[in-house]
Amino acid sequence: MKKKILSIIIVSLNTKKALIKTLTSCFKQDRKDIEIIVVDGLSTDGSVKEILKYKNKISKIIIQKDRGIYDAMNKGINVSKSDWIIFMNSGDKFCNINVVNRLKKFKKKNADIIFGNTIINNDKFRYLVEGNKFQKNSVLMPFCHQSTITKNKILKKFLFNIKYNISADFDFFYRCLINNYNFKKYNNVIAEVGSGGLSDQN
């Protein structure tokens, strides 16, 4: 079987309606050489039933208690088999059906991590957030995690440090920076995400 180009790892916990939105966006991508991995932390709102409804379209399903969002993301990393990985939270979606196809062409440019722009939707209005390069003096995430694809082997090497409840992604990308991995800007929108997530609230 041909190796998949991209793993889309979706994490969820009691977000049934938002999860369906994210799954639908992934299913609509015009490339088929992707794997969709869903990691659910034992939802009780009907999410599990929805996930199983789409089991023929989902490559891997993990339904078990976890120690938080980054622990769930690590579980997805550990079972992924593609060259690259992108993460989606329930409610996030790709900006259009061609994103994965365009990223495949762009990633040949000697990149280890590719970051793009993001549309933020707070239900009242939408606005664009430009992704910027990670610097050694960065104190906040300069790009949105859901608009970033990273080489699988790097994520497997480092994983997310789950002692950081809301900043394990910052810690991960900082470790990539000091280990001289190559960040490349994709100057287009990759994902549309909702505001009010865990890091927003904190």
Side-chain angles (χ1 to χ4, degrees):
M1 185 178 294
K2 187 177 180 181
K3 189 174 184 180
K4 302 293 187 182
I5 293 296
L6 180 71
S7 296
I8 305 170
I9 298 176
I10 304 167
V11 295
S12 69
L13 180 62
N14 294 325
T15 52
K16 175 181 170 182
K17 185 177 179 181
L19 174 62
I20 294 170
K21 175 181 175 182
T22 302
L23 286 171
T24 301
S25 174
C26 295
F27 297 151
K28 286 181 177 179
Q29 285 299 300
D30 63 354
R31 290 201 67 89
K32 302 306 177 187
D33 51 349
I34 59 177
E35 66 172 359
I36 299 171
I37 300 169
V38 178
V39 185
D40 183 89
L42 281 181
S43 292
T44 57
D45 68 338
S47 294
V48 173
K49 184 177 179 180
E50 288 297 327
I51 293 167
L52 296 177
K53 185 188 296 185
Y54 296 109
K55 64 182 180 181
N56 292 333
K57 294 184 177 182
I58 298 172
S59 305
K60 296 181 181 70
I61 297 172
I62 300 173
I63 300 172
Q64 58 185 224
K65 188 75 174 174
D66 56 58
R67 291 180 286 172
I69 188 170
Y70 295 110
D71 185 35
M73 291 160 72
N74 283 342
K75 290 179 180 183
I77 294 167
N78 286 330
V79 301
S80 64
K81 295 183 178 179
S82 66
D83 295 322
W84 295 77
I85 293 176
I86 189 169
F87 296 93
M88 290 280 175
N89 297 330
S90 290
D92 302 333
K93 65 179 184 178
F94 289 105
C95 67
N96 59 56
I97 65 170
N98 302 310
V99 174
V100 174
N101 197 31
R102 291 174 180 172
L103 282 171
K104 182 184 181 255
K105 297 174 182 177
F106 183 83
K107 72 181 181 59
K108 297 176 182 178
K109 298 184 178 181
N110 190 31
D112 297 307
I113 296 122
I114 300 169
F115 62 94
N117 302 328
T118 308
I119 296 292
I120 307 294
N121 187 342
N122 74 352
D123 293 330
K124 294 181 180 178
F125 56 89
R126 299 162 72 245
Y127 58 95
L128 175 69
V129 174
E130 294 270 351
N132 294 298
K133 196 166 185 180
F134 210 106
Q135 309 279 356
K136 285 188 176 180
N137 61 352
S138 294
V139 294
L140 296 172
M141 280 287 290
F143 45 74
C144 181
H145 200 160
Q146 295 95 317
S147 289
T148 310
I149 69 169
T150 305
K151 281 185 176 177
N152 190 326
K153 64 182 181 181
I154 301 173
L155 282 158
K156 278 189 165 67
K157 178 180 179 180
F158 291 131
L159 294 176
F160 293 105
N161 189 334
I162 63 173
K163 76 176 184 181
Y164 298 117
N165 293 330
I166 62 171
S167 58
D169 51 353
F170 183 95
D171 170 73
F172 168 79
F173 288 116
Y174 183 77
R175 282 184 285 160
C176 290
L177 179 71
I178 63 176
N179 281 278
N180 298 314
Y181 286 108
N182 196 6
F183 291 73
K184 287 284 188 179
K185 173 70 182 286
Y186 171 74
N187 199 27
N188 284 289
V189 175
I190 294 177
E192 178 175 322
V193 307
S195 60
L198 185 62
S199 58
D200 284 350
Q201 294 171 23
N202 292 273

